[in-house]
Every structure is written in C-alpha cells, then in structure tokens.
C-alpha cells in the first residue's frame, strides 16, 4: 500500500502551507495556509484538486493545523465557510484564540481589506477540536494523531499520524534550538514511513545564539549607562517576550533600575496568552512558574505617550516591528536624532519599511515622506533570532527519526535541492521536494496479521542468545564491514527469527516454531553434511610415530590399525593450533568435522580409488557440516599434504 | 494484660494450623497477625519459635504462590528482628530455594531473603553460577531483571556475569537490556576483563544500543559505551588515539538526542575523554563541517561517506550542549570542557569565547559551572582572556548571587591579563564591586593584591595615574575611608612583590598610608602573610624605598649594581631574614615568613590563621568577640559534663550581650547572631549530657531526640536567618550541623537513621563545595566526617552505618571561636494585625474568603527570598499565601507595608482563631522537601512569633 502526498501549498516556496496525505484509505489535510503575496485566487490552495465536485466532507477525513500563523491557517475559514467543509479540524488549544487577534494585526498593519470576517472565524472555530501537546487523539477506528512540541511559536505542534501500519510525521514549522521562552522541538523515536518537514533554512547553519544575545545586552547596557534610550520595535508575539525575558534576567543580575516599557496594550495582551499557556513554554519558564511567572515582568511598565520626550534612560518595546508606521515610527522620529539612543532591529524587515532602510547601510538621513527628512544619528543594532530550525536542525531531526522517506516543503527550491542531496548522501534516506500541486507516491510498510503458536510464543519468552566468533581467516577482510567496525565476538538472540511463517490455504497465517513445523509436514529435519574419503600413506605415519610419540608408545605393538587414529590426533594437535580437537577412540572430532578409519572396500565418498603405494595406504573417511567447510578443508590438507610431501 | 489477648488468639491460630497439617495454607489474617507478633520486640521466644515452625511447614507444604510469597516475607522479617534465628531461616530457605525450581519468581524471592540475611551477617550467599544462569533464562521478565540487577549480591564469577550481561543486551524487553547494560558498566574493570575481543564485543554491542527506541536504554548505552570505550582506549598505547576518536564520535552523536537524560549522560561521558584528535575536537565548536575535518584522516581509513557522517555528528555538539534547553545539559557540557580544554590550546581558546557567553545564562548553576571551568583553565594556564570578554566576565562580579561573584574573583586572582586596558577594567570592576558589596572586602582586597602582584607593571602605572587621589585631602587627618582609596592602596602595596622590577615607582608614602588599614588588609591576606609580617613589610617599604630611591635611579645607569629590593627577596625567606632584619624574625616557627606561592598552585596554599588580633574599629564588636572567645573556652567543661556550670556561665554571657543590643542599633544583627550562637551552645551542652559515660543508662530516648531536634532547629535558624555571613562563619555553622547529625547517628536507639544519614551527606557535600570556593582549611572533624560520609555514599546498598563509627568521630570535634565583623544582618519580620484581640474580632461572611489586614515589617530580606504567610486553624489545617516582595518596597533592609492576606478555608463555625505567622523558604535546602502546589517548595524558617487572629461571623460578635 502506498502513501500519496499531494502538495497544495508551500511546495518549493515559503508561503501557504497545505499538504494532503492519503494513506490506507484515509485522507488528511495538514495546514491550510494563505499566501499573503497574492490578492486573487492564488492566495488560497487549489482545493479543487482534492475533490472536483466540491464534496470535501467525503474526500477528507480531517484537517490538522500545526500553528496559528496565517501561512498555516489563513485559508481555513475560507475552506470551511466558503467551500463548505464540515469535517473535523484538529489544532492546538491556542490557535483558535489567537486567530482573531492575528487577523486584526494583519489588517491593521497592512491596511489590507479583510480576507475573512470575524463571523467566519467564529463559525470556523466552532468546528475545531483542540489537541494538547503529547495528546493522542483517535480520530476514527483507524486514524490516530498525536501532537508533539515544535517550539516555533507558542502552541506550535508537529503531528504524528498513524493509519494501520503506515505512520508519518508532519512537522509544520519548528525550531531545534530553544530560546529564552520557548523550548526546542521534542519528539519520540518513532517508526516512520514518511517525514514531511519544513526547510525554510535548508542551507543556513547558525552559530550559537549566546554570542548574539551577549552583544545585544552589551549594546543596550552601554546605551542606558550613557543615559540613552533604547527602542526595540517588535511584533506582539514572539520576539518581544523573548527579548524581554532576556533583559529582565540581565536587569535582575546586574541590579539595574532603569525602566523597561511596553508600548501597546496588544503586547500586554499577548503576555496574557503566554501566562495562560504556560505548558507551551520552555523548561525554565515552566520550572519557575510555581513561584513566579516569567511573563509577569518585574521591571516592565506601561508606556505613556507623554513619556516619549521625558528625560533619562529607558528601554521601550513598541509595535510594529518594521517601523512601518504606528507607534514605533512615532517614537523613532523623536529618538533617532540623538547619538545617545539605540534602535535594535530584527533580522528581517520587509522592503520599503524604515527598518529595511536602516538595515541597508547606515543612512544619516531618512526620507519619511516626500516633504520630511529625518536625521538619524542614533546607534543601530541588528538582531537576528529566527524561530525556524536551521539546516543542522533539520538534519538532526531526520537523523534521529530515521524515516524511510522524507519530503521537504516550505523552502526555496535551489536550497531544498541541496538539502535533499545531503539527506540522501549522508543519511541514505530517499528525499523529495515536490512543487505545488504535485503528488508524491511512496511505498509504505505493509503488515500482515498472523497468529502465533503456543510453542513459538513460549520459545520467544525464554532467552536464547548465543555467541559467535568469527574465524581467524575472516579477520582481514570482514572486520570493517561497510565502514563499520565488527568485533570478532558477536552476540545474537534469534528467538524471533526462529519462527516460521506458515500460510495454509483457507487458514489464517501463523507463525510456528521450527519443531512444530517439522511435525506439521510430517518430515524429519535434514542436516547437510559433506563427506570425503581419502588415503594416507602409512609409512609416513610410522615416521610420525617414531619422531613424535615417545618411547612408551613404541613399546606398544604398533602394527595394529587402531593406532593410526591417535597418530593423526597428535599430528593435528601439532598443526592445528587453537581448534577444539577431541579424540573419541573411534573418531577424531573438530567442531562438526569428524574423521574415522574407513574399513569399507568401496566407500561412496572415495574419490581416489587407490593410493600410489597401495599396500601402505589406509583410507580415512571424514564428514562435516557446511558451517565448518573451511576448517574441514584445512584439516584435510594438513593430513594429505603430509602424505604427498613424503613422496 | 490487654496485650496478651491478641497474642493468645494468634497462638491459637498457630496451634490450630499445626493441629491440622492438612490445612497447609495460612489465611491473610493469620499472616498479618503473625507479622505483628514478629515485629513486636516483647513477643516471647516460645511464640516466636512456634511461628517459625508454622512458617517452616507453610513453606514446605503450601503450593499457593501468594502464601509462599508472604511466608518468605515473614521469614525475612523474622531473621531481621530475631538475629538468633537468622541462621535457621537461612538454612530453611536455602533448602527451599533449590526445590522451588518450578517458580523462578519464588526462587528469586528466596534468594532475596538469603542475600539480605547474608548481608547482615557479612557472609556471602552461596549461589553457584549455573543456578544463577538457569534462573536468568527462565521466562519471567521481572525475575530476570531482578536477578541481573542484584547479581552483585551473589558473588557470581565475573566471567559468567559478563557473558550473561552481554547476552541479555539482546533481550527484547527494554528494561532487561537496560539492566544488562548497567551490569556491563559495573564490570568494565581491567581486573575483570583482559581479553581484547571481549572488550571490543561489549563496546560494539553498547554502540548498537545507542540507537535503541527507549530513552532509558539509550542512556544506559551511553554509560556503557563510555565505560568500555575507555577500557579499549587504555588497552593498547598504539591504538589509543584511534579508539579515543572513535569513542568521542560515538558519544558526540548522542549529544543531539531528544531525551534530556541521554544528552546529560553523553556530555558527562565526553568529559571523561582525555585524548582526542584536535581536528575532531575543533569540529565540536562549529556547527558547520570544517574543511580540515573532511580532509584529515582522523577517522581512520574509513570511506568518505563515513567520514562525512562522523563529521556531521560531531559538528557543533558542544555548542548545542551549551545552548540546550535544560540547565542540566548545559551544566554538564560546561563541566566536560574542563578536561577537553586541556587537550588543545587552540580548542581552549575557542571554547573560552563560548564559555564567556555562558556567563549570561539564566541558570545560576550553569553560570557557576562555567566559572569553575574557567578557574580550572586558569590553573592550567589556559585562560587567555581578551578585551572582548571583559564585559561579560566583569559583569559576573556584579552578579546578585554571592557564589557567582566570589567564583569570578577567584579566577581574577589567577588570570593573566593581556594588556593595561583589560587590567584597568578589571581593577575598576573590583572597586565597583567593593563599593556595592562592602561585606566582601576581605576577598576583594585579596584579589586586588594578587592581581597587582601578577601584573606589576600595569599596577604601577595605574597607581601613578591616580596617586593624587590617594593623598589625604587635608594635612594631619588621614581619611582612607573610601572603598576606592583603600582598594588602590592594596593594589599599590602588592607591586613590590611582583615578578618584575617595577616596585621602585610606587611612592613610599603609600606604604605608610597602608599601615593605617593594617587590620583590614591583613584579614584579606591571610593566605599570603600574617599581620606581623605585613607590618614589617609595609614599614620596610615605606622606609627603605626612600633610601633606595637613589639607588633605583642609579640602577638605570649601572645595571650591574646589586640592588636589594623586597621584590627580589620575596622569593626566599632566608634572604629576607638576613637583609631586612628583626621585624621578620618575630614570628615563631617561621610563621612570619612571607609565603610565596607560584601561580600554578594557588589551591594548595590555603590557610587561615585566626589567631590575628583584629583591628577593631568598634568597642562593641571587640567586646562581643571577647565573649565569643570565652564561649570557646567552655568546651572542655561541656565535655566533662559540668552542665549546670556551663549553663550558668552562658546565662551571664547572654545578659552581657543583651546590653549591647539596647546600646547600639548598628550591630543589632551581630548581637542577634551571637545570642543565637549562645543558644546553640546551650542546647549542645544539654545534648552532650546524654553522651557522658555516667549517664549512658538513664537517658531516655525521646528526651535526646527532642534535644537534638531543638539543636538542629536553632542551627538552621542560625544559618538561614542571618545575612552577610562570611564563608568561614557559614562553615562553622555547617560543622555544628554535622556534629548534630553525627550525634544522632552515634546513638543506636535514636530514630530516623536513614534521614539523618542523608542530611549528613548533603551537609558534608555542601561543606566540600564551600571548601572548594574559599581558601579555608577544614577542621579535623570536618575532614573525618566527609571521609565517612563519602564511604556511606559509595557503599552499594546504602545500609545504615555502624553507630560506633560515628561515635568515634565525636572525639575529633572541638568548638571553634566565632568572630564577628559587624557585617551581619538579622532576617526577621514583625507582624501586627491591628485592632484585633480576644475582645475585637474580625468579621467574616460564611463561605466567602476573608481578608486579614496585616501590618508587616521585614528586615534584611532581599527579593530572592521567598516569603510566605502561614495560616493555621485549630484543626491544624494550613493555608499558605506567597508574598511577592517586588510589590512591597525596594529596599532590602527594611520593608514596611500593609497587606491584606486572603484566607479561603472558612470553617462553618460562628467564630474561630487563626494562628498566623511569616516564614521564609530555606534557600540552602537543595532538595525540595515536599512538592505541593500552592505552598512553599522548601522548608520554612519562621521569622516571627505566631499571632492569633480572632474572627467571628458577621452579626455574631
């Protein structure tokens, strides 16, 4: 059975995320995002590919949303309210409450027309079923989903989905390194057929964040010590909280008394979300929560417009982040002309915003509009913290999960191709990076349900390990196998392997124990043995006797045939060092190899009929099992060589 | 008589069961009553022996596994409560253990009984290897893992164990795999295994299990890989580097595991590796795969893909470790850097850049570990501090946490600064530190002295710049009160002892100024010289430099002229004696000699002479110290049992001290501290009574426990309710705590042995950590205790130790003198509920919370302290309310505020009394006592007397 993966969005692009996965008869849509670069139908995923006739309820089993960013959830109200999808929608508890705020921010910030109305959201959210982190939800009899912590933003989750034997993980956006307020992504080592992962930074590898944090703190500290004001333009959620925790912690340690302000009510409200949803934050925040909520900022005060021109140092968080307008622009106008002040900018600012202008070189003057020009003398500090994992993090996750197949989404095409190559070459995992509206088919695990016999179950309860030692001849070539070191001594426990799968017509398949299997067939166990009969020159043996065996054996009358075997034994013991040679009177045994005197005139295993010197030769018959083939031929050659050597 | 009733009924049941041998199973009720008889000490021996017979029959005849299980349990109890029977029990169970091959579970239980009897008697259990292995191969998984876990108790031959453990790493049950791996770790000793093949097999098997699906198996696998890898590394010198690299890469690959425990194990293990190729090591600091790693052959003759795989698993692992979400991982990474930085200088330089950034970590433990690693690097001369580091590094001096700033100062004592600029920054940082934390003066002076001596040239140039600032402002009156000037003086006087020849440039008058601070400086320099030496040194410098000034000036022209300076002499005490003369010869047995210490071994030179006469600015402090000195002298009296005499003397001391309390507000904290100390000594004297030979028989057990409990509480208060304690003082208190626990443990009959043992070992490890911090010599008693506590910690079964061992310890103890410096603050609270007494009640409305207006005054409580209001009702039900100090005033010294404390659990009564009190969490209780929500995490120390609040229902007044 195959897993079909239809990429409706974020295929070789960073934009609307939407992937529809069909596995074992279930069809799940992961994320339902909006592309904000477009204003026409291209902003939404092409839902018609799911069902031509718009019968989405039948076509989809459920929708799973990873987090509340618009490029992951934006098209959902459209899909439910306009396209009419009525099936279940799963997302983390946070997303519904955030969506409304987020919509407002987007509308206010961009001054765009509303893409969906508040009523749409309310209606849409009624269909949502909330999932908590690590919660397992049985959607129906066969389909199970489980949310894992993704780190990217408050309430972001990765989803493990299992239908029958096929299992996949869809990551959404995630972060593999923790920051001050969110933890790193966390998942169990699962058996997966497919991993669908974001690849925003498919080739970037980031250094430690510590250095950047230290620089930021140093710049802020220096500025306020010199009596300057620090403006930190941010958006409401994410960086504001992270930086504020960082500053608070530093303020606390250094015992600084300079005020930190939050400008807008919105940020305060965002902090309220954080306080409510403490289980989605980092370990540190969770640990301290019982005595002090890390988001109850001790040093943070509300900022009043009248304070803009008040004297004295301070730190101010103001929205929006790119200084594209609003309050941060207002403050910027006032503070930029003074050399004492400092503006910190995020790593990315959209083109056309003042933030973008400040980042590209250090301009001394900025045109606010065509009439006004502003002197910029303040210091500028750039900060690049990203909530997305870097290439190393993607590789680490793929390596940890070791799925059978990887699909990359949410990234730029050329970079994805590089990462795809790395995943294949370094980890040996097949990887695809489909474009939008492409379908990838991958084979999935197919399990057959079988019964097991009691004997088999009992045999697998008892330990059954054994040790094997590679023979010394294997030494040179096989110790390094596939570049991995193989020790001589190895241990195996083959309980499970000892069962035999029996599929009889009209009956359920069953695993039975080896002994039972023979019984079922009414057959006996066959053991393949090799046999060989060869002559040994007795003259030669006499020599051995006189040289090797001391006078005591000489004293015995040695003409009897019975004494030849002990002589062989002595010879073998001499030449075959290390082997476990046993002498049983009638035969000599080395592992499974046995040799005894052949008294038959016509032995079926005799190849050479008569030795050169007929009367002096004695035939020996030997047998061994296939495992000891090399050993056997070694022994035979020892015995024979001696024989021919004297000729 | 009442006691006899159940006994007789029991005996009846025993008898009845013995009369009916057919009825071979004992009912649960019978078993329970048998148990109560077994554990009651007063049960007569005849009853016990008939119980034993009953149990014997039950064991032999019963087939019911549940009954057999309980029977075995009872036999085990019997053996432990009646040592005389233990050999018969052991005999019985042994014969049974061999019989009961049909149930491996019961066989294992029997073995447990045998083993615990044997452990009590110190004899081995005879379990032959064959039966052990055959039991292991039984189908029961829990028995299998129990046997593997307990294998050590049965003295199975190590080779048999090794093969068994190795085999069971293949078990399909993850817990068995984990136990097997843990067992392998225990066997990884060169004395057990000498065979290379075996070592390789174990190592490779453990490596395979690094990919296990279960967290705990992976984390056991990391331990096993580390243990066997190190064996492999040590096996052959030729292959040492190859295997070390191999092991290093394997461990690194676990640094990005998703389980925190696994990561901690991995980084702990990395810290044990002593040798590794430098290019691999450098790769751990860069998340990008470096070119050198790809090219170099450090990964052996592996194929290119394998090299790439190894390189990418190593890449940036330490960086990841340092920025991990869990402080445990970050701390472990910092710790592992201690050994790794020794391997390569290039690596240590790069790692230092990261470590400096770690000083910004939000966890105090991580910051402290980073500093300890730096200190370690400094001791090995690897700490190459640069200008860019200074902001972070000196920032730690300002850290609100005492141990962080103190650790930073310790590093500063050793660090080699690259240029004048960084030196200036450091000195400024230290002065700033001194101004903010005057209580650390001694430590800061000591750092200034060392840093000045290590950087003579820079020190001289700073002094010359600021010399004018140090001149007294007006003629006649010397005012060196400002911290800054005092600090600079200390810096100045260190210069002549530096290794360079810069002493000449220090104006000699400075040495005369320094004499006025003699006491303060000499306290700081106890690790270098004592007060007499210091005085002699200062006066010599102030005199002789004036004379030798010309000599120094001349020296430039005639470099070969023998110039005698203190600096050149300081290396050898003999020369000082001969040239400088008398002042240095005052000291007896060479104590007056300058102790010169090489920069490499500063740790070894740790001594504290407490015999110096204090320079006393204040009469009160001096008198208090005099009293405290006398307290020390009464120790022999306590020891000889003159308890009444002692108590009388202590009372008089107390009265004397109390007069100071009324006299001066300035030293109110110190007086309170001294009073508390007297209280402790008084309690100690009372406890000691019980340990006198004469009183041995008549002392009641409960009485001693109560006395010991009181002593412990007083010591806890002493520890938690005072601020500004020096390390030495804290150590003295801890020593007394150790004494308390030792006393408790040395009494056989005293209860809670395990808890006391645990407390003892936590306190001992705390003492060790303080000793590591400061240059204080531990007392004999402390070192003996820590030895013993180490033994008990490492003993495998955690069995309570022999009381006599602890009794032995007591003879090492003697009371040391406390010295106060006038720096101690007393943490206390005052709580007033205005207008409330037995007459005037607060009204409440049934089922609604009531607010209790409290006027609270807090003294010396800083915002880190967690303060709670406890409210208790008559039925002992308690409610806690947290006081967030940030809301109540910013001053740490005195906060006064009114707070309405909400009380929710209104009882259904017309009126009731609420007892209300303020407590603070003990910050030093490392392990939270009880984790309960809505209440304090740690034990509380109460800061004021309980107040009664009277409440009555509205209209019911």
């Amino acid at each position: 059975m195959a897993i079909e993966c239809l990429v409706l969005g974020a295929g070789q692009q960073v934009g609307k995320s939407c992937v529809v996965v069909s596995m074992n008869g279930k069809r799940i849509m992961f994320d339902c995002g909006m592309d904000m670069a477009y204003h026409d139908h291209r902003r939404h995923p092409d839902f018609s590919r799911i069902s031509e006739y718009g019968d989405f309820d039948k076509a989809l089993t459920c929708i799973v949303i990873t987090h509340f960013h618009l490029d992951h959830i934006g098209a959902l109200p459209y899909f439910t309210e306009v396209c009419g999808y009525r099936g279940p929608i799963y997302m983390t508890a946070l997303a519904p409450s955030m969506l409304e705020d987020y919509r407002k921010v987007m509308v206010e910030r961009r001054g765009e027309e509303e893409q969906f109305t508040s009523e749409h959201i309310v209606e849409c959210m009624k269909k949502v079923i909330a999932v908590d982190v690590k919660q397992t939800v049985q959607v129906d009899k066969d389909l199970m989903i489980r949310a894992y912590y993704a780190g990217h933003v408050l309430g972001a989750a990765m989803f493990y989905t299992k239908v029958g034997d096929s299992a996949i993980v869809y990551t959404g956006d995630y972060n593999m390194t923790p920051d001050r307020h969110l933890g790193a992504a966390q998942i169990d080592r699962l058996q997966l057929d497919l991993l669908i992962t974001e690849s925003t930074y498919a080739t970037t590898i980031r250094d430690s964040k510590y250095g950047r944090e230290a620089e930021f703190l140093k710049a802020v500290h220096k500025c306020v010590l010199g009596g300057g004001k620090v403006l930190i333009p941010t958006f409401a959620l994410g960086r504001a909280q992270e930086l504020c925790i960082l500053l608070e912690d530093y303020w606390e340690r250094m015992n600084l008394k300079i005020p930190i302000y939050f400008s807008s009510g919105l940020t305060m409200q965002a902090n309220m979300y954080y306080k409510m949803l403490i289980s989605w934050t980092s370990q540190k925040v969770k640990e301290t929560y019982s005595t002090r909520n890390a988001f109850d900022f001790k040093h943070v005060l509300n900022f009043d417009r009248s304070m803009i021109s008040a004297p004295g140092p301070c730190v101010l968080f103001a929205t929006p982040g790119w200084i594209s307008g609003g309050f941060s622009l207002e403050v910027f106008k006032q503070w930029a002309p003074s050399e004492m002040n400092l503006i910190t900018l995020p790593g990315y600012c959209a083109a056309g915003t003042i933030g973008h202008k400040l980042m590209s070189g250090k301009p001394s003057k900025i045109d606010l509009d065509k009439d006004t020009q502003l002197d910029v003398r303040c210091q500028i500090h750039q900060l690049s913290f990203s909530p997305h994992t870097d290439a190393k993090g993607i590789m680490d996750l793929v390596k940890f999960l070791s799925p059978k197949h990887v699909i990359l989404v949410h990234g730029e095409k050329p970079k994805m191709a590089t990462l795809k190559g790395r995943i294949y070459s370094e980890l040996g995992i097949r990887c695809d990076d489909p474009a939008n509206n492409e379908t990838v088919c991958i084979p999935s695990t197919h399990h057959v349900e079988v019964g097991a016999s009691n004997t088999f179950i009992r045999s697998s309860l008892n330990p059954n390990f054994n040790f094997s030692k590679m023979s010394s001849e294997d030494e040179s070539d096989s110790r390094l196998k596939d570049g991995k070191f193989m020790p001589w001594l190895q241990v195996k426990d083959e309980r499970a392997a000892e069962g035999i799968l029996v599929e009889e017509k009209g009956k359920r398949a069953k695993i039975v124990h080896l002994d039972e299997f023979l019984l079922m067939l009414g057959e006996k166990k066959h053991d393949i043995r090799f046999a060989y009969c060869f002559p040994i020159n007795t003259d030669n043996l006499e020599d051995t006797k006189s040289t090797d065996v001391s006078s005591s054996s000489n004293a015995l009358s040695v003409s009897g045939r019975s004494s030849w075997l002990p002589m062989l034994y002595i010879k073998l013991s001499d030449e075959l060092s290390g082997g476990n040679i046993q002498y049983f009177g009638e035969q000599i045994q080395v592992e499974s190899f046995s040799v005894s005197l052949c008294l038959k005139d016509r032995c079926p295993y005799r190849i050479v009929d008569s030795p050169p010197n007929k009367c002096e030769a004695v035939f020996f018959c030997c047998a061994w099992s296939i495992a000891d083939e090399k050993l056997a031929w070694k022994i035979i050659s020892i015995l024979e060589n001696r024989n021919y050597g004297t000729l | 008589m009442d006691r006899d009733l159940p006994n007789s009924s029991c005996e009846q049941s025993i008898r009845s069961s013995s009369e009916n041998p057919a009825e071979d199973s004992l009912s649960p009720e019978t078993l329970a009553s048998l148990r109560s008889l077994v554990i009651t000490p007063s049960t007569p021996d005849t009853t016990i022996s008939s119980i034993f017979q009953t149990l014997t029959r039950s064991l032999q005849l019963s087939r019911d596994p549940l009954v057999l299980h309980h029977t075995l349990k009872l036999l085990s109890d019997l053996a432990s409560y009646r040592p005389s029977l233990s050999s018969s029990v052991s005999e019985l169970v042994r014969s049974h253990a061999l019989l009961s091959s049909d149930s491996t579970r019961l066989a294992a239980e029997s073995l447990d009984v045998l083993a615990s009897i044997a452990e009590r008697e110190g004899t081995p259990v005879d379990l032959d290897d064959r039966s052990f292995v055959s039991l292991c191969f039984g189908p029961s998984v829990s028995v299998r893992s129990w046997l593997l876990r307990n294998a050590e108790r049965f003295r199975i031959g190590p080779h048999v164990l090794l093969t068994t453990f190795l085999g069971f790493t293949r078990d399909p049950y993850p817990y068995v795999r984990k136990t097997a791996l843990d067992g392998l770790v225990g066997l990884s000793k060169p004395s057990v295994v000498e065979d290379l093949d075996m070592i390789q097999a174990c190592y490779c098997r453990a490596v395979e299990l690094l990919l296990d699906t279960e967290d705990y198996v992976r984390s056991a696998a990391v331990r096993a890989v580390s243990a066997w890898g190190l064996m492999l590394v040590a096996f052959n010198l030729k292959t040492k580097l190859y295997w070390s690299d191999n092991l290093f890469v394997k461990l690194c690959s676990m640094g990005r595991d998703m389980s925190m425990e696994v990561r901690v194990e991995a980084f702990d293990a990395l810290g044990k590796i002593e040798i590794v190729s430098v290019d691999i090591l450098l790769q751990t600091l860069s998340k990008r795969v470096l070119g050198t790693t790809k090219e170099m052959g450090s990964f052996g003759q592996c194929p290119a893909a394998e090299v790439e795989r190894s390189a990418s698993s190593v890449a940036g692992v330490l960086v990841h470790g340092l920025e991990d979400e869990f402080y445990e991982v970050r701390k472990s990474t910092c710790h592992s850097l201690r050994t790794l930085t020794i391997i390569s200088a290039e690596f240590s330089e790069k790692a230092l850049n990261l470590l400096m950034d770690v000083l910004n970590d939000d966890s105090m433990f991580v910051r402290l570990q980073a500093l300890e690693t730096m200190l370690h690097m400094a001791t090995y001369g690897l700490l190459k501090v640069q200008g860019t580091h200074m902001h972070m590094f000196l920032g730690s001096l300002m850290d609100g946490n005492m141990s962080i700033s103190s650790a930073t100062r310790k590093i500063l004592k050793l660090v080699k600064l690259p240029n004048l600029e960084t030196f200036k920054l450091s000195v400024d940082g230290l002065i700033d530190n001194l101004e903010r934390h005057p209580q650390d003066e001694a430590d800061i002076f000591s750092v200034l002295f060392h840093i000045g001596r290590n950087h003579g040239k820079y020190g001289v140039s700073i002094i010359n710049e600021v010399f004018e600032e140090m001149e007294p402002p007006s003629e006649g009156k010397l005012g060196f009160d400002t911290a800054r000037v005092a600090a600079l003086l200390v810096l100045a006087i260190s210069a002549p002892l530096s290794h360079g020849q810069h002493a000449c440039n220090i104006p000699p008058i400075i040495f005369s100024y320094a004499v006025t601070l003699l006491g303060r400086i000499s306290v700081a320099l106890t690790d270098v010289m004592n007060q007499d030496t210091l005085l002699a040194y200062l006066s010599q410098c102030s005199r002789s430099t004036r004379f030798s000034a010309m000599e120094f000036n001349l020296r430039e022209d005639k470099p070969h002229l023998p110039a005698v300076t203190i600096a050149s002499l300081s290396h050898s005490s003999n020369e000082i004696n001969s040239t400088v003369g008398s002042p240095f010869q005052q000291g007896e047995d060479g104590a007056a000699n300058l102790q010169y210490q090489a920069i490499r071994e500063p740790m070894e030179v740790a001594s504290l002479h407490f015999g110096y006469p204090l320079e006393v600015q204040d009469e009160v402090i001096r008198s208090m110290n005099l009293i405290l000195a006398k307290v020390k002298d009464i120790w022999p009296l306590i020891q000889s049992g003159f308890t009444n005499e002692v108590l009388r003397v202590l009372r008089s001391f107390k009265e004397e001290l109390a007069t100071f309390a009324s006299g001066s507000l300035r030293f109110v904290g110190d007086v309170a501290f001294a009073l508390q100390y007297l209280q402790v000594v008084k309690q100690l004297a009372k406890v000691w009574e019980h340990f006198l030979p004469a009183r041995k028989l008549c002392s009641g057990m409960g009485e001693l426990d109560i006395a010991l409990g009181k002593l412990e509480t007083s010591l806890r208060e002493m520890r938690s309710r005072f601020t500004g304690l020096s390390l030495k003082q804290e150590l003295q208190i801890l020593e007394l705590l150790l004494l308390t626990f030792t006393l408790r443990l040395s009494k056989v009959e005293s209860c809670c042995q395990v808890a006391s043992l645990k407390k003892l070992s936590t306190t001992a490890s705390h003492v060790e950590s303080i000793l590591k911090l400061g240059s204080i010599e531990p007392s004999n008693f402390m070192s003996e205790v820590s030895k013993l506590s180490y033994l008990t910690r490492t003993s495998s079964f955690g069995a309570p130790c022999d009381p006599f061992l602890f009794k032995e310890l007591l003879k090492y103890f003697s009371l040391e003198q406390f010295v106060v410096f006038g720096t101690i603050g007393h943490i206390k609270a005052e709580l007033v509920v205005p207008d409330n007494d037995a007459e005037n009640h607060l009204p409440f409305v049934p089922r609604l919370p009531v607010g209790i207006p409290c006027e609270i005054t807090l003294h010396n409580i800083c915002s880190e302290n967690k303060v709670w209001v406890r409210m208790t009702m008559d039925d002992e039900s308690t409610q806690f309310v947290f006081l967030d100090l940030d809301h109540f005033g910013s001053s740490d010294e005195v906060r006064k505020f009114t707070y309405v404390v909400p009380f929710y659990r209104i009882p259904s009564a017309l009126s009731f009394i609420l007892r209300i009190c303020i407590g603070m969490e003990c910050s030093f209780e490392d392990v939270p006592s009880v984790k309960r929500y809505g209440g304090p995490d740690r034990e509380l120390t109460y800061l004021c007397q309980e107040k009664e609040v009277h409440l009555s229902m509205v209209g019911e007044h």
Side-chain angles (χ1 to χ4, degrees), chain B residues 33 60 92 184 199 267 376 567 732 764 853 930:
Chain B
S33 54
Q60 283 160 353
L92 169 68
L184 281 182
I199 300 176
F267 286 110
H376 195 256
Q732 281 174 295
V930 215

Side-chain angles (χ1 to χ4, degrees), chain A residues 178 180 183-184 205-206 209-210 217 250 253-254 283 298 392 396 399 426 461-462 479 488 491, chain B residues 137 144 170 197 200 256 287-288 313 315 320 322-323 325-326 360-361 367 391 395 398 400 886:
Chain A
R180 292 268 167 171
I205 295 179
R206 272 186 232 112
K209 208 150 98 171
Y210 270 123
L217 290 174
Y250 189 74
R253 271 188 288 129
M254 297 297 150
Q283 195 58 29
K298 226 192 253 183
K392 174 119 193 344
D396 285 339
K399 191 176 164 195
E426 275 180 42
L461 280 179
N462 281 312
R479 290 196 80 182
W488 283 354
V491 56
Chain B
F137 274 73
R144 196 183 305 153
R170 284 277 178 197
D197 286 352
Q200 284 178 353
R256 288 294 276 157
K287 291 187 190 173
R288 285 177 198 84
S313 62
H320 282 300
L322 289 176
E323 58 182 20
E325 181 178 357
F326 291 84
N360 194 25
D361 197 281
R367 297 202 298 273
H391 176 78
M398 295 297 138
D886 300 323

Side-chain angles (χ1 to χ4, degrees), chain B residues 226-265:
Chain B
S226 164
W228 287 90
L230 290 175
M231 291 266 287
L232 206 48
V233 170
F235 193 82
N236 186 341
L237 268 182
K238 276 186 199 154
T239 55
K240 188 173 176 147
L241 186 62
Y242 170 81
W243 282 115
S244 204
D245 283 351
N246 188 304
L247 172 63
F248 191 84
V249 172
K250 293 282 179 308
L251 291 174
C252 281
S253 72
M254 300 312 281
R256 288 294 276 157
D257 198 277
M258 286 282 178
S259 154
M260 184 266 281
E261 285 80 14
V262 175
R263 294 198 297 271
V264 171
E265 291 290 353

